[in-house]
Amino acid sequence: MINASDYDFFVRFLKQKSGLQLSDDKHYLLESRLMPLLRKFDVPDFSKLAAMLRDGSSTIIAAAVVEAMTTNETLFFRDKAPFEDFTRTMLPALSAARPPGHRLRIWCAAASSGQEPYSLAILLLENPGLVGRREVEILGTDLSNDVLDRARAGRYNQFEVQRGMGVQMLMKYFTKVGDSWEVKEQVRKMVQFRKFNLLEPFSGMGTFDIVFCRNVLIYFDPPTKTDILARIARVLAPDGYLVLGAAETVIGVGEAFKPLPQHRCTYVPCAASMERRPSPFGIKV
Amino acid sequence: MKTCLVVDDSGVVRKIARRILERLGFLVEEAVNGQNALESCDRAMPDVILLDWEMPVVSGIEFLRLLRAREGGTVPKVIFCTSLNDMSHIAEALEAGADEYIMKPFDDEILHEKLEAVGLAEKDLL
Ligand SMILES: C[S@@+](CC[C@H](N)C(=O)[O-])C[C@H]1O[C@@H](n2cnc3c(N)ncnc32)[C@H](O)[C@@H]1O
C-alpha cells in the first residue's frame, strides 16, 4: 500500500526526526503503525500522508507519525541487574565520592511510561541510608508525549504492575484506583518528566551522576549511537555511570565508554581514571 | 525435583498452570479445593503452592491459615493466584502468610517471575 518512493521518504523522515533506523523490509510495520493515523487525521492514503509531512503542513501529524513508530515497551525493574548495581555499586560509590550537600542527578533518557525512573525512586525509598541526606533528582525524558502523559499519571494496569515487581512493593508504593494501580505521591514527587529528543543538543541539561539510556539506542544506526554516547559522556560526571539495555553494548560504538567489569549493563566513561569502590554488603535491592 | 501443588477448582486453570510449571521443571500435584490440598500436604509438603482463593468446601485463605498452623506448614512458599484483586484481599493474604500474589488472568511470564521472587525459579528459563 505504501509505494517505494513514499517508503523511502518515511524512512528518511523518521531517521531525521527520531533517529529510528528502518530497514528496507519494514513495509508491514510501517503500514500497521501508521494506518490508525490515517483514520485519526482523516487522511485518505499513505501518499497523501507523505505529502503532508513533506510540505510540513502539520507539526501535530508529524509528531504523531514519529510517536507511532516508537516502541515503548518497558517494565518495572527490567532486567534486575542494573537496579542491583544502582543500590550496590553506583549509589555507595557516588555517596562516598560526593560531599554531603551534593545533589545526585539521575537521568532516564528514554523513560517511556515511567517504570524505569519510578523503580529507581522506589529503591531510594527502600534504602534511605544509601545517599544520606543528599537530595536526589530523577529526570525522566522521552520523545513521545503519549508515554510521558502516562508516566506523569503514574497509573498502570494489573499486568504492568505484576511484571518485575513483588507484591510487597506493590502494596507499599501503589494504591489501587478503579482498575489501575497508581504510584503513590511520595514516589511520584521524586521524578520529573520532560519531553526531550536525544537527537537534540544536551546543552542546558547540566551534569548527571547516572544516566540510564536503555533500549533506545538499538533503534539507531551506528553513527547515531556513537554520537549520542559521546554526548552523554559530556554530561556525565567523570566518575558517573551509564546504564544500557541488556541487549546493548558500547563495543564498536565510539570510545566514550567502557564496561564496568563484572557488571552487566553498566558502563563508565573511558576518560575516567578514578578509583571505584567495591560493593558493600547487606543492601536491599 | 521441585514440587508444586496447584490448588484450583477450575480444571482449565490447573491444566494451564501444570503446563507452565512442568516446563520450568516442577513435579506438579493438583487439588480441587482447600480440603483436598490439606490432605495432599499431609502426605507430603510441596516446595510451593499455587493457590486459588474462591473454592468450595475450604477456601484458599482458610487453607492457608490451617496450613501455616500445621507442623512443617510454614515451609512451602505460597503464591495466591486469584481474580480477587483489591488491596484488602491482598493485605489479608499477606497477613495470613502468603509469599506472593498473582492477580488473574496470568501468563507464563508472570508465574515464572513470581516463582523467581519466592526463590524457586531461575531467571531466563523460559
Ligand atoms: C523500549 S522504550 C525503553 C524504556 C526504558 N528505558 C526501558 O528500557 O525499559 C524506548 C523509548 O525510547 C523513546 N525514544 C525513541 N527515540 C527517541 C529519541 N530520539 N529521543 C528520546 N526518546 C526516544 C521511545 O519513545 C520509547 O519510549
Side-chain angles (χ1 to χ4, degrees):
Chain A
M1 281 228 281
I2 298 184
N3 69 41
S5 78
D6 286 339
Y7 185 82
D8 287 346
F9 169 75
F10 280 117
V11 170
R12 266 183 287 119
F13 174 83
L14 289 163
K15 168 106 192 326
Q16 189 210 340
K17 295 291 177 189
S18 73
L20 178 71
Q21 184 189 26
L22 270 190
S23 50
D24 294 342
D25 55 355
K26 292 285 188 275
H27 288 73
Y28 175 77
L29 179 75
L30 194 68
E31 282 173 13
S32 62
R33 295 272 187 98
L34 296 188
M35 187 69 89
L37 298 185
L38 296 185
R39 276 192 293 271
K40 183 172 173 193
F41 295 110
D42 206 15
V43 179
D45 53 42
F46 291 113
S47 285
K48 176 72 184 146
L49 182 65
M52 292 170 83
L53 298 178
R54 273 195 195 95
D55 68 23
S57 57
S58 167
T59 49
I60 293 174
I61 293 182
V65 166
V66 170
E67 290 197 18
M69 293 309 297
T70 58
T71 299
N72 310 116
E73 197 191 314
T74 182
L75 57 149
F76 289 101
F77 300 99
R78 181 173 190 173
D79 299 329
K80 295 204 175 64
F83 296 93
E84 275 171 27
D85 266 3
F86 178 68
T87 49
R88 293 204 183 137
T89 305
M90 300 180 212
L91 290 181
L94 290 167
S95 292
R98 302 280 187 277
H102 183 96
R103 170 210 288 254
L104 291 173
R105 300 189 70 227
I106 303 167
W107 180 23
C108 290
S112 188
S113 37
Q115 283 90 329
E116 184 177 276
Y118 285 137
S119 298
L120 297 175
I122 287 172
L123 286 178
L124 284 162
L125 292 169
E126 282 285 287
N127 301 280
L130 274 185
V131 293
R133 305 252 291 276
R134 287 174 188 80
E135 259 183 75
V136 181
E137 177 187 334
I138 305 175
L139 174 67
T141 62
D142 201 282
L143 168 86
S144 156
N145 283 313
D146 257 16
V147 294
L148 285 170
D149 286 344
R150 290 179 50 214
R152 289 193 188 101
R155 284 196 180 185
Y156 301 96
N157 67 33
Q158 182 168 302
F159 210 74
E160 293 168 315
V161 293
Q162 293 199 85
R163 303 220 14 222
M165 195 165 45
V167 69
Q168 306 274 2
M169 227 173 232
L170 178 65
M171 292 291 280
K172 204 162 155 190
Y173 296 109
F174 292 75
T175 23
K176 197 159 181 221
V177 181
D179 282 336
S180 319
W181 289 83
E182 196 175 286
V183 183
K184 282 189 182 166
E185 183 57 25
Q186 70 179 134
V187 181
R188 202 186 332 195
K189 71 177 189 211
M190 295 172 69
V191 185
Q192 305 294 319
F193 289 100
R194 209 200 300 164
K195 181 171 167 134
F196 185 75
N197 186 337
L198 287 167
L199 300 186
E200 284 163 23
F202 297 175
S203 52
M205 295 299 266
T207 302
F208 295 97
D209 298 288
I210 302 173
V211 176
F212 276 65
C213 183
R214 306 169 69 217
N215 303 300
V216 62
L217 296 182
I218 32 169
Y219 303 109
F220 302 159
D221 67 4
T224 310
K225 284 185 203 181
T226 306
D227 171 57
I228 292 174
L229 287 178
R231 290 188 294 123
I232 290 177
R234 274 180 246 137
V235 296
L236 187 66
D239 58 347
Y241 298 90
L242 166 71
V243 183
L244 298 179
E248 294 166 318
T249 172
V250 296
I251 295 160
V253 240
E255 319 261 81
F257 291 95
K258 60 182 184 222
L260 184 61
Q262 266 125 50
H263 294 258
R264 215 158 62 89
C265 312
T266 304
Y267 302 83
V268 295
C270 277
S273 59
M274 301 221 16
E275 194 175 304
R276 289 166 190 281
R277 292 169 184 257
S279 330
F281 300 106
I283 288 157
K284 260 204 282 179
V285 175
Chain B
M1 209 176 192
K2 294 169 293 183
T3 53
C4 182
L5 174 63
V6 178
V7 193
D8 202 302
D9 55 345
S10 152
V12 176
V13 173
R14 291 200 307 276
K15 197 167 147 191
I16 294 169
R18 172 184 282 279
R19 188 176 44 79
I20 302 170
L21 286 158
E22 286 182 341
R23 246 202 306 155
L24 290 168
F26 281 86
L27 194 68
V28 179
E29 281 280 322
E30 293 182 24
V32 297
N33 60 45
Q35 178 59 41
N36 212 218
L38 279 172
E39 289 156 14
S40 171
C41 287
D42 283 342
R43 286 192 298 274
M45 285 291 176
D47 295 309
V48 57
I49 300 169
L50 193 67
L51 184 62
D52 187 20
W53 191 304
E54 297 162 293
M55 293 177 293
V57 194
V58 172
S59 73
I61 194 80
E62 287 164 336
F63 160 80
L64 178 57
R65 294 202 178 97
L66 292 166
L67 173 78
R68 291 306 193 210
R70 262 177 162 68
E71 202 186 320
T74 54
V75 177
K77 301 289 182 192
V78 173
I79 303 174
F80 257 106
C81 184
T82 165
S83 42
L84 297 172
N85 58 12
D86 53 291
M87 295 184 86
S88 57
H89 277 101
I90 300 176
E92 191 181 348
L94 292 175
E95 189 102 330
D99 298 283
E100 262 300 342
Y101 201 101
I102 295 173
M103 298 175 260
K104 281 179 187 163
F106 68 102
D107 63 7
D108 40 3
E109 244 173 280
I110 288 177
L111 179 52
H112 184 208
E113 283 209 25
K114 296 298 174 185
L115 288 164
E116 202 188 309
V118 301
L120 282 166
E122 306 277 308
K123 253 198 101 170
D124 302 329
L125 254 185
L126 280 181

